[in-house]
Amino acid sequence: MAYKQEHPWLTVVHGGSPAAILRAPQNGWPAGAERRIREQPAAIHEYFPLAGQAVGRVPVQPETDPHGLAFGTVDDQARARLLAALAEVLPAGELAAEVERLYRHGDDAERRGVLRALPLLPDSLVRLGLELVADALRTNDPRLIAAAMGPFAAEHLDQAQWRQGVVKCLFAGVTLLAVADLVARTDSELLRMARDLAEERRAAGREISPDLRALLGMTVLMALVPPRAEGDRR
Amino acid sequence: MRIFDPHIHMTSRTTDDYQNMHVVGVRAVVEPAFWLGQPRTGLSSFTDYFDSLIGWERFRASQFGISHNCTIALNPKEANDPRCAEVLDVLPRYLGKDGVVAVGEIGYDSMTRAEDEAFARQLALAVEHDLPVLVHTPHRDKKAGTARTLDVIRESGADPGAVLVDHLNEVTAPMVADSGCWLGFSIYPDTKMDEHRMVALLKEYGTARILVNSAADWGRSDPLKPYRVGQAMLAAGFTPAEVDTVLWQNPVDFYRRSGHLMLGGDVPADVEVVSFAGNSVLRGGS
């Protein structure tokens, strides 16, 4: 059990449901901003940068996630509410253009807000969402990488990109708690990559992080499966 | 000694600098948008630069326990290139953002008409967005340039208490002191000011409304100069509280007017700070 406490991502149910993403920050600012955005959608460009000043920037679950990497921050939640309001009033094409603008013109916090809100947006924005996730995974900023590997990535990223994202988390020191549906999507190829990474680190005399060690632990479970025989099409 | 360097171009500095700055007590910086040595030729290289000031550079600083804020503007030198004029049109989208604590550096380089125009327009933007202003004073023809700078500021209707006039020296300090603007001094290894002349000026003017910076960039400069000024102040008989006023409290008071100042990290608790992102130091990777 101690093992699971050390690695809560083995058991955690990720907060990817709309209700969890939208949980209300503790003041009235988002509600007022949502109202304005429903009346005048362009106002979102005025409100989006202000979220941190208005509701603060603390992690949503500080005890389990002190940097807000896994479950985001209260300003992430406030921005998600603004985007959900925008999605109610704009047709798909315009919505995609505005969401892309908010991301491209955003600072790191605004970009995180967009990434974490992707599961709330209609299916017509999946292609844009994948572009933005790929953009975030090209950065070296752990908070962007973490936000990119949430429930949207779990649902839509192809397996090769998703594996690269997980390994990027290991490199960037992002807790694997940030990776939604990690256990369900982990495959033998990811475990091979993890083993190779561990081998490189051992050869270099470097430390194996607890998260990497835990992934390797999953390898042990896989090893219980008998190796494939020649011609075995399983 | 806790230090807030109110003017330093960290984009041009190394991680060793960040480390050494942290060792001597630097916990916060403001990086003004300026020119990069190599002239830019279009809008997107400016917006990429601005984005790095509010993104990557802020993150880089946070890895070393230093809060990074910035000022955004079209600098006077590049204001002379018509290909860069459209930068003025995209500035408003940056001015409401966290960590964007002033419009700057604006002002004069060669005192051309194009510089006049960019200076006036950006002063108006600062007034409109209720933001402080960081004003660069020219290297050449400095005295006349500073006098003209103060005239333009007066005409703009900006509150002098929200304007910092930078790169001053013994000759230009008196007129800025009379104007009610804040006085900025850049301490350089060879040019501008040195720490001992700075201490002499502090004895003459006192510690109110005075900011000391390294203005370190891609040229010969030294990010530890504010620390050296602190040491020189103590050696000259200033109290630790007076050193703190100049090296910490004054920059906090000036840039706090923006409402966007982000301070965090291991700043001692005797200053009222806005916490930022849980003060986290996160490790970068590839």
Side-chain angles (χ1 to χ4, degrees), chain A residues 3-113:
Chain A
Y3 181 74
K4 284 191 178 174
Q5 277 160 10
E6 192 186 350
H7 304 289
W9 50 262
L10 287 174
T11 50
V12 74
V13 177
H14 215 282
S17 71
I21 297 173
L22 291 175
R23 205 169 337 150
Q26 293 124 354
N27 72 24
W29 182 84
E34 282 170 68
R35 256 198 312 280
R36 270 290 312 282
I37 290 163
R38 286 198 193 92
E39 288 159 20
Q40 197 193 354
I44 195 167
H45 294 285
E46 195 184 308
Y47 285 106
F48 215 62
L50 299 178
Q53 294 161 42
V55 304
R57 304 174 182 96
V58 294
V60 174
Q61 293 187 26
E63 305 81 23
T64 48
D65 178 30
H67 300 308
L69 289 176
F71 305 106
T73 54
V74 292
D75 54 323
D76 289 343
Q77 288 187 330
R79 289 194 174 96
R81 289 185 57 171
L82 306 188
L83 285 169
L86 188 73
E88 286 170 27
V89 292
L90 282 190
E94 277 177 56
L95 179 64
E98 293 291 24
V99 170
E100 178 161 17
R101 206 167 296 136
L102 286 166
Y103 180 88
R104 304 264 182 225
H105 293 179
D107 66 6
D108 49 337
E110 294 165 67
R111 290 180 180 200
R112 260 169 19 232

Side-chain angles (χ1 to χ4, degrees), chain A residues 53 57 67 105 110 140 142 172, chain B residues 59 93 97-98 280 283 285:
Chain A
Q53 294 161 42
R57 304 174 182 96
H67 300 308
H105 293 179
E110 294 165 67
N140 276 348
Chain B
F59 170 69
R93 87 177 187 223
K97 289 194 192 298
D98 286 344
S280 54
R283 194 154 51 85

Side-chain angles (χ1 to χ4, degrees), chain B residues 125-175:
Chain B
L125 265 182
V127 171
E128 187 188 324
H129 287 80
D130 201 14
L131 282 177
V133 188
L134 172 58
V135 181
H136 163 97
T137 51
H139 304 288
R140 303 175 300 280
D141 200 9
K142 196 174 199 72
K143 192 174 174 189
T146 305
R148 183 157 154 193
T149 297
L150 293 172
D151 288 342
V152 175
I153 293 168
R154 227 168 276 126
E155 282 161 27
S156 76
D159 170 9
V163 178
L164 165 58
V165 184
D166 211 346
H167 312 317
L168 301 180
N169 57 27
E170 292 85 350
V171 174
T172 52
M175 56 180 133

